[in-house]
C-alpha cells in the first residue's frame, strides 16, 4: 500500500494550519494598526490556502482519496513585535522539511509523477524561507520602531513571485 497519498493528505492540514497561523499574525498586526505587516500576512495566508488546494487538485488528478482535515489551532498571542515573524520563519523551515520528506517518500515509492508535482513546492519553500528571513532581519533591526518596517514594506510593495506562473493548478482555482 502506497503511503505517499496519505502523507499528501496530511500535508493539506499543514498548509491550512500555516494559512490560519498567518491570518492570526495578520489580525495581530492589524490590531496594532500596522497595515503593511498585516497586508503581507493576509496575502501569505491566501498563498498557503492555495498550496493546500494544489495538493487537493493533485490527489483528484491522480485518482486518490481526498480527506479535508481539521487543523491545529494557531498561536494568537505574541510577546514582542518580532515574535510573529520569527514564528513564521520557523514555520516555513518546518514546512520545507515536510516537503523534502514527501519528495523522499515519493522517490522511495517510485511515484515520479508525485515527485515532479512537488518540485514546484521545493522552489516555493526556498523563496518563502528567504523572504521570511529577510523580513525577520528587517523587523529585528527596527527594534521597537515598527513604523520603519511599515515604511520599508510600503516602499518595496507587493513582491512579484516569479514562481506564480509555473504553479500547479489549485482545486476550484487559485485565489
Ligand atoms: Fe505552503
Ligand atoms: Fe509557506
Amino acid at each position: 500500500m502506497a503511503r505517499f497519498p496519505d502523507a499528501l493528505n496530511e500535508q493539506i492540514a499543514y498548509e491550512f494550519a500555516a494559512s490560519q497561523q498567518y491570518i492570526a499574525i495578520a489580525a495581530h498586526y492589524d490590531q496594532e494598526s500596522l497595515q503593511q505587516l498585516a497586508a503581507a500576512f493576509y496575502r501569505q495566508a491566501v498563498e498557503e490556502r492555495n498550496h493546500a488546494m494544489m495538493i487537493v487538485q493533485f490527489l483528484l488528478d491522480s485518482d486518490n482519496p481526498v480527506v479535508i482535515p481539521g487543523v491545529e489551532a494557531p498561536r494568537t498571542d505574541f510577546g514582542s513585535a518580532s515574535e510573529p515573524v520569527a514564528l513564521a520563519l520557523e514555520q516555513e523551515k518546518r514546512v520545507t522539511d515536510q516537503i523534502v520528506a514527501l519528495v523522499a517518500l515519493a522517490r522511495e515509492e517510485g511515484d515520479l509523477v508525485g515527485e515532479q508535482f512537488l518540485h514546484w513546492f521545493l522552489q516555493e519553500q526556498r523563496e518563502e524561507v528567504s523572504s521570511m528571513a529577510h523580513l525577520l532581519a528587517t523587523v529585528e533591526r527596527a527594534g521597537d520602531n515598527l513604523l520603519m518596517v511599515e515604511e520599508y514594506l510600503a516602499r518595496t510593495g507587493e513582491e512579484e513571485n516569479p514562481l506564480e506562473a509555473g504553479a500547479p493548478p489549485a482545486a476550484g482555482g487559485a485565489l
Side-chain angles (χ1 to χ4, degrees), residues 15 18 22 44 48 51 92 95 124-125 128:
E15 298 294 339
Y22 285 153
Q44 207 54 45
E48 300 301 346
H51 295 165
E92 289 303 339
V95 171
E124 175 74 3
Q125 283 314 119
E128 295 204 333

Side-chain angles (χ1 to χ4, degrees), residues 94-134:
R94 191 169 59 242
V95 171
T96 300
D97 292 343
Q98 290 163 352
I99 301 291
V100 166
L102 280 170
V103 172
L105 180 59
R107 202 171 280 187
E108 186 189 316
E109 297 191 338
D111 190 338
L112 298 191
V113 175
E115 184 185 333
Q116 191 276 337
F117 162 68
L118 290 170
H119 284 169
W120 180 85
F121 282 79
L122 290 173
Q123 288 178 291
E124 175 74 3
Q125 283 314 119
R126 172 184 166 176
E127 192 273 323
E128 295 204 333
V129 168
S130 164
S131 60
M132 208 54 84
H134 282 297

